[in-house]
Amino acid sequence: VLPPGRRMLLWVFFLVILTLSGGSHCSPLSLPLRMPRYADAIFTNNYRKVLGQLSARKLLQDIMSRQQGERNQEQGLKARLGRDVDSMWADQEQRALDNILMALQQKHR
């Protein structure tokens, strides 16, 4: 059995501890529960940022590959057009030479 002075001191100590732990946001019981949630929040935020960056990078690569594909198509079209024009000129030159040769043959007859 404790003397009355010590009993009173023990009750005061108990009430102070109870008051501090009940009104505080970081009580010893809630601290272990808050730390994993805080770590989860940090992880989730960073994970979202990384996913956003990956998504933006993929979108940029898609846009760039489309533009490159369009450029390749344009270059292919220009090359085909150039070959077609060259072919047309060659045909016209051939016809002109054929006409000249026919005219020369008719002259010599």
Side-chain angles (χ1 to χ4, degrees):
V1 177
L2 292 172
R6 287 208 172 193
R7 226 181 299 159
M8 180 70 157
L9 186 60
L10 189 58
W11 275 107
V12 168
F13 177 74
F14 177 73
L15 287 175
V16 167
I17 293 296
L18 189 63
T19 304
L20 288 177
S21 67
S24 173
H25 292 291
C26 293
S27 68
L29 295 177
S30 67
L31 188 59
L33 296 175
R34 288 174 185 260
M35 289 304 285
R37 285 189 292 177
Y38 181 69
D40 286 346
I42 290 174
F43 173 79
T44 302
N45 288 341
N46 288 333
Y47 186 67
R48 284 183 184 156
K49 285 179 189 175
V50 168
L51 286 180
Q53 290 172 348
L54 289 174
S55 177
R57 182 175 292 152
K58 183 172 177 359
L59 177 64
L60 183 61
Q61 287 174 344
D62 288 347
I63 290 170
M64 290 175 65
S65 67
R66 279 189 210 138
Q67 288 177 345
Q68 186 64 37
E70 289 172 3
R71 278 192 221 120
N72 289 342
Q73 282 181 344
E74 287 174 7
Q75 288 173 351
L77 183 62
K78 286 178 184 177
R80 271 179 273 152
L81 184 60
R83 285 192 299 267
D84 290 346
V85 167
D86 289 345
S87 175
M88 283 176 26
W89 279 108
D91 289 346
Q92 285 182 354
E93 287 175 350
Q94 187 64 41
R95 277 191 228 125
L97 287 174
D98 289 345
N99 289 338
I100 291 171
L101 286 174
M102 289 170 91
L104 286 174
Q105 283 178 347
Q106 286 176 357
K107 241 186 187 182
H108 286 292
R109 288 186 190 173

